[in-house]
Amino acid sequence: MGRLRSKVEILTLLVLVILAVPSKVPAIRTDIGFSRIIMSCNTTVPGRYLISDSNGYVCSALSLDSSSSCCPTGGERFACQGCNLASKCCNSYEYCVSCCLDPSRTREDLATKIKIAKPITAGTYASAFDYCVGRCRHNSASVVHENAYASNFHHCFSMHQNSSEPKESKTEARLTGIDVLVGRPGESCESVCRSRGQSCLSNMLSLLNRCDILQKYMRCKNGCYVSMGADQPAEVAEDAPSHLNPGACLYTQMEERLFCEGSHQHTRRLCPCA
């Protein structure tokens, strides 16, 4: 009886061991080969019509690749459409970013050392793309009176934009694409620009309302003086009465009174037209 019991225990143990060993199940491998690597791009926030990616391409939001978030590579890379390469300013945000990303115009090693803001505690840009995206946005140097653009070319990516660049060169950059014209005595800027098939940009008058700018476009042989007329900035005509100081240039400290329609029979206005 004892032997039989022993055999039963041994057989039971063998059955348990067999059940514990996993059986070999044949299978077909489906993971043979290399996995597909999908490159991805960073992009600007989609504008009304365009978007630019971190590769330097510009495209419409509808043509953006949904899997990679990249623009098609068939277009022009590092495009500078509507940009002035001398001032590094553009009239389109997306083309500003694309143009800025050109390594010949923006070195990444330098871009990533520039502070995002003026405070000493401000961080730096993580990449050339971050630099271009941030730099091309509007900033205080792009506007006058805090509510109007100084120029149509108000997207700028120059590395020296917030440096101690001379005020005159900054003003010249803002005047890019603007025709600065001198009118005849008694002629308003509205009339001066219209005669050229253009419009007077009243928000640009404050840029011309400075002695150094007046002296660049006019003779100002009898000096430069503060005045209060609605016809400024201007130069007094040579044949004006002597008490009006013929040949003098005039500017105003009351810039809220600068209008394109102002005129005076004895002054020649300096006008921004486009």
Side-chain angles (χ1 to χ4, degrees):
M1 190 70 176
R3 289 181 178 179
L4 181 60
R5 185 175 178 181
S6 238
K7 288 181 179 181
V8 171
E9 289 177 349
I10 291 172
L11 287 172
T12 303
L13 183 60
L14 287 173
V15 170
L16 291 175
V17 170
I18 292 171
L19 292 175
V21 176
S23 59
K24 208 170 185 182
V25 179
I28 299 175
R29 289 190 62 185
T30 59
D31 60 344
I32 297 176
F34 298 103
S35 60
R36 184 187 172 200
I37 300 176
I38 300 177
M39 301 298 293
S40 61
C41 297
N42 293 321
T43 63
T44 58
V45 176
R48 187 176 180 182
Y49 302 110
L50 301 173
I51 191 170
S52 50
D53 68 15
S54 50
N55 286 331
Y57 291 98
V58 177
C59 62
S60 67
L62 294 177
S63 65
L64 202 69
D65 187 293
S66 59
S67 61
S68 66
S69 296
C70 295
C71 285
T73 57
E76 184 182 358
R77 195 180 186 189
F78 307 134
C80 297
Q81 182 176 320
C83 298
N84 182 294
L85 298 182
S87 63
K88 294 188 177 180
C89 293
C90 311
N91 58 16
S92 162
Y93 174 66
E94 289 76 19
Y95 279 105
C96 176
V97 173
S98 177
C99 189
C100 171
L101 283 171
D102 188 335
S104 68
R105 299 186 183 95
T106 303
R107 286 176 49 186
E108 183 154 8
D109 60 326
L110 296 180
T112 52
K113 293 178 182 178
I114 294 178
K115 287 188 174 295
I116 297 174
K118 288 184 178 181
I120 193 170
T121 55
T124 55
Y125 294 101
S127 65
F129 178 73
D130 288 342
Y131 165 82
C132 294
V133 166
R135 207 64 160 179
C136 286
R137 287 195 185 102
H138 308 305
N139 56 71
S140 58
S142 302
V143 297
V144 290
H145 305 312
E146 299 181 357
N147 61 2
Y149 292 126
S151 166
N152 290 333
F153 294 79
H154 48 254
H155 302 283
C156 303
F157 58 89
S158 170
M159 288 190 176
H160 306 292
Q161 187 173 322
N162 293 330
S163 66
S164 57
E165 184 181 355
K167 188 175 182 180
E168 182 178 357
S169 61
K170 289 184 178 181
T171 299
E172 289 301 318
R174 295 182 194 178
L175 289 172
T176 301
I178 306 300
D179 289 332
V180 180
L181 306 177
V182 178
R184 296 186 296 269
E187 193 175 22
S188 70
C189 281
E190 191 71 31
S191 175
V192 172
C193 296
R194 193 187 305 118
S195 66
R196 293 280 297 268
Q198 298 177 315
S199 298
C200 173
L201 305 179
S202 58
N203 62 322
M204 301 291 288
L205 284 168
S206 60
L207 291 180
L208 305 182
N209 187 50
R210 289 170 35 195
C211 278
D212 58 331
I213 299 299
L214 282 162
Q215 290 166 346
K216 179 175 181 178
Y217 292 95
M218 296 171 158
R219 296 177 64 188
C220 304
K221 68 176 186 179
N222 281 340
C224 190
Y225 303 95
V226 176
S227 184
M228 295 180 62
D231 57 315
Q232 279 117 53
E235 180 184 51
V236 181
E238 294 284 349
D239 58 355
S242 58
H243 69 277
L244 294 178
N245 198 2
C249 285
L250 309 174
Y251 69 98
T252 181
Q253 293 181 331
M254 305 175 71
E255 294 192 343
E256 67 277 5
R257 295 188 180 183
L258 292 172
F259 299 104
C260 290
E261 297 79 12
S263 65
H264 189 283
Q265 62 177 327
H266 294 301
T267 62
R268 303 162 62 235
R269 294 201 65 181
L270 190 62
C271 308
C273 304

